[in-house]
């Protein structure tokens, strides 16, 4: 005997999305101690609705993180498909990193609050890494990406971005840093430059 799962109602999906958006905004504005009632009010839902979706703030922040990781995964897989379709690997990687930095800035406060709340994303993070690894390989094979670039390097770049700064500052940072991904940049020996 099989049990049939009821489809999720459209209003429940909308409410969940509004709650996650409100949680991001309110944690950024008021800090991790913001009350669930404040988040519910900002989302335009009843407190009971919030608690039906997320019984604790830990669950709520975990869901925000899970959605963030899923967004990055979706972006990485879409980037890979664009390159497989013939787009320039370097251009695609730069566009991907700009988008991930934007998404990361939006989620920075929730990510910072997560350890104190004991929140975890509980999602598979290997899909994004696999897509990025293949994307890098295609860029190296095309002679556009430095051959020593790794997925870990991409994550370091994202974590080093000035996520707490306004968009123009983040864009300036990207313009200064992202050229280091190119194959040409791999040939620059900073020790030699310093000795000149």
């Amino acid at each position: 005997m099989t049990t049939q799962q009821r489809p999720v109602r459209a209003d429940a999906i909308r409410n969940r999305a509004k709650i996650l958006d409100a949680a991001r905004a309110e944690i950024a504005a008021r800090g991790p101690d913001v009350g669930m009632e404040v988040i519910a009010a900002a989302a335009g839902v009843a407190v009971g609705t919030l608690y039906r979706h997320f019984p604790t703030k830990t669950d709520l922040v975990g869901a925000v993180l899970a959605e963030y990781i899923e967004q990055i995964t979706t972006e990485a897989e879409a980037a890979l498909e664009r390159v497989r379709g013939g787009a320039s690997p370097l251009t695609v990687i730069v566009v991907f990193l700009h988008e991930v930095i934007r998404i990361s800035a939006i989620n920075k406060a929730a990510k910072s609050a997560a350890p104190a709340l004991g929140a975890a994303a509980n999602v598979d993070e290997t899909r994004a890494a696999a897509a990025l690894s293949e994307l890098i390989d295609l860029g190296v094979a095309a002679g556009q990406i430095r051959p020593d670039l790794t997925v870990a390097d991409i994550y370091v770049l994202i974590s080093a971005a000035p996520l707490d700064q306004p968009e123009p500052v983040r864009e300036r940072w990207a313009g200064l840093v992202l050229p280091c991904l190119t194959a040409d940049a791999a040939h620059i020996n900073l020790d030699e430059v310093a000795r000149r």
Side-chain angles (χ1 to χ4, degrees), residues 23-31 34 109:
R24 271 186 208 91
E26 294 303 318
I27 290 170
R30 302 171 190 253
V34 64

Side-chain angles (χ1 to χ4, degrees), residues 63 88 157 166:
S88 159
L157 283 174

Side-chain angles (χ1 to χ4, degrees), residues 101-120:
I101 289 167
R102 185 190 71 77
I103 294 167
S104 298
I106 292 168
N107 287 278
K108 182 182 185 312
K111 284 174 51 186
S112 297
L117 296 170

Side-chain angles (χ1 to χ4, degrees), residues 24-46:
R24 271 186 208 91
E26 294 303 318
I27 290 170
R30 302 171 190 253
D33 294 331
V34 64
M36 295 287 267
E37 299 80 8
V38 173
I39 293 170
V45 301

Side-chain angles (χ1 to χ4, degrees), residues 6-194:
R6 290 185 357 211
V8 179
R9 293 183 353 225
D11 64 331
I13 293 170
R14 281 191 302 274
N15 284 342
R16 186 178 196 281
K18 289 192 300 186
I19 292 166
L20 291 175
D21 287 344
R24 271 186 208 91
E26 294 303 318
I27 290 170
R30 302 171 190 253
D33 294 331
V34 64
M36 295 287 267
E37 299 80 8
V38 173
I39 293 170
V45 301
V47 175
T49 300
L50 186 151
Y51 280 113
R52 269 193 303 282
H53 285 277
F54 308 105
T56 68
K57 192 186 295 182
T58 299
D59 296 325
L60 175 57
V61 173
V64 169
L65 294 180
E67 186 177 75
Y68 163 69
I69 292 168
E70 187 58 38
Q71 286 178 308
I72 290 176
T73 299
T74 299
E75 291 293 332
E77 290 174 342
L80 177 57
E81 287 308 311
R82 286 193 296 279
V83 171
R84 285 176 177 165
S88 159
L90 179 60
T91 300
V92 169
I93 288 175
V94 168
V95 169
F96 165 79
L97 285 170
H98 275 278
E99 182 60 12
V100 169
I101 289 167
R102 185 190 71 77
I103 294 167
S104 298
I106 292 168
N107 287 278
K108 182 182 185 312
K111 284 174 51 186
S112 297
L117 296 170
N122 296 322
V123 294
D124 179 13
E125 297 185 44
T126 60
R127 282 177 38 219
L132 286 174
S133 180
E134 186 174 344
L135 188 57
I136 291 167
D137 290 345
L138 291 170
V140 170
Q144 296 179 350
I145 300 296
R146 59 186 305 143
D148 59 343
L149 186 69
T150 67
V151 172
D153 294 332
I154 297 289
Y155 291 150
V156 166
L157 283 174
I158 294 165
S159 67
L163 301 177
D164 56 344
Q165 297 296 313
E167 185 175 359
V169 174
R170 295 193 309 265
E171 289 295 315
R172 175 70 177 147
W173 177 88
L176 293 170
V177 172
L178 296 186
C180 73
L181 303 178
T182 64
D184 290 340
H187 302 297
I188 298 171
N189 184 325
L190 292 179
D191 289 336
E192 283 182 20
V193 172

